């Protein structure tokens, strides 16, 4: 007597891109990651703000804290973009949307911090050319 081998469906590989993430888990992960990433961003920015506040009267210390905060924001922006790419690969649309929202917020704050730093540190005036001769007549017609 022969025994029939039971038919088992083929195993699916556990690749995240093979099937769409369920809506409930996607929304829960999106919310949790958004809150955690926003808290990390706020706490670190607060820490750099405290370093700047502690450097009152020391322009070099204030500039160092500001530049360190700008550099940290750039790195944080790249990490959140990488997480958004992983969420896109995992086919988790709500997580992608929450990460892109956070990327937009951090991008605006980063641009604002860079703009403020650039306005506080203008570029030096260009040096005059070798053939420049100033006009002191006041009439505006110098030769």
């Amino acid at each position: 007597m022969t025994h029939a081998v039971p038919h088992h469906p083929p195993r699916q590989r556990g690749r995240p891109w093979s099937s769409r993430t369920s809506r409930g888990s996607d929304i829960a992960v999106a919310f949790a990651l958004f809150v955690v990433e926003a808290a990390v961003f706020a706490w670190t920015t607060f820490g750099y703000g405290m370093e700047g506040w502690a450097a009152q009267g020391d322009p070099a210390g204030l500039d160092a804290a500001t530049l360190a905060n700008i550099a940290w924001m750039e790195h944080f922006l790249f990490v959140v973009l990488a997480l958004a790419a992983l969420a896109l690969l995992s086919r988790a649309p709500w997580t992608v949307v929450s990460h892109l929202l956070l990327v937009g917020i951090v991008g605006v704050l980063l641009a604002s911090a860079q703009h403020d730093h650039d306005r506080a540190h203008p570029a030096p005036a260009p040096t005059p050319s070798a053939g420049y001769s100033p006009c002191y007549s006041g009439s505006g017609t110098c030769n």
Side-chain angles (χ1 to χ4, degrees):
M1 173 166 237
T2 29
H3 296 289
V5 178
H7 182 276
H8 295 292
R11 286 188 175 202
Q12 291 184 358
R13 302 230 183 222
R15 295 184 179 131
W17 57 85
S18 62
S19 63
R20 188 174 181 159
T21 306
S22 69
R23 182 180 299 216
S25 64
D26 182 23
I27 291 174
V29 168
F31 181 74
L33 282 175
F34 185 82
V35 169
V36 168
E37 291 165 351
V40 167
F41 180 80
W43 184 256
T44 305
T45 301
F46 176 74
Y48 284 118
M50 287 287 101
E51 283 184 28
W53 181 68
Q56 286 180 348
D58 179 24
L62 181 60
D63 288 342
T66 302
L67 290 174
N69 188 27
I70 288 172
W72 185 86
M73 277 195 247
E74 289 172 348
H75 291 105
F76 186 77
L77 187 68
F78 292 133
V79 168
V80 174
L81 277 172
L83 289 175
L86 287 175
L88 187 64
L89 184 65
S90 298
R91 297 177 64 186
W94 289 102
T95 306
V96 172
V97 168
S98 73
H99 278 84
L100 292 180
L101 178 65
L102 192 63
V103 163
I105 293 169
V106 171
V108 167
L109 292 174
L110 175 62
S112 174
Q114 288 175 336
H115 180 71
D116 289 345
H117 184 266
D118 290 343
R119 286 188 58 121
H121 300 86
T127 56
S129 65
Y132 173 76
S133 60
C135 178
Y136 297 111
S137 71
S139 65
T141 57
C142 294
N143 293 332

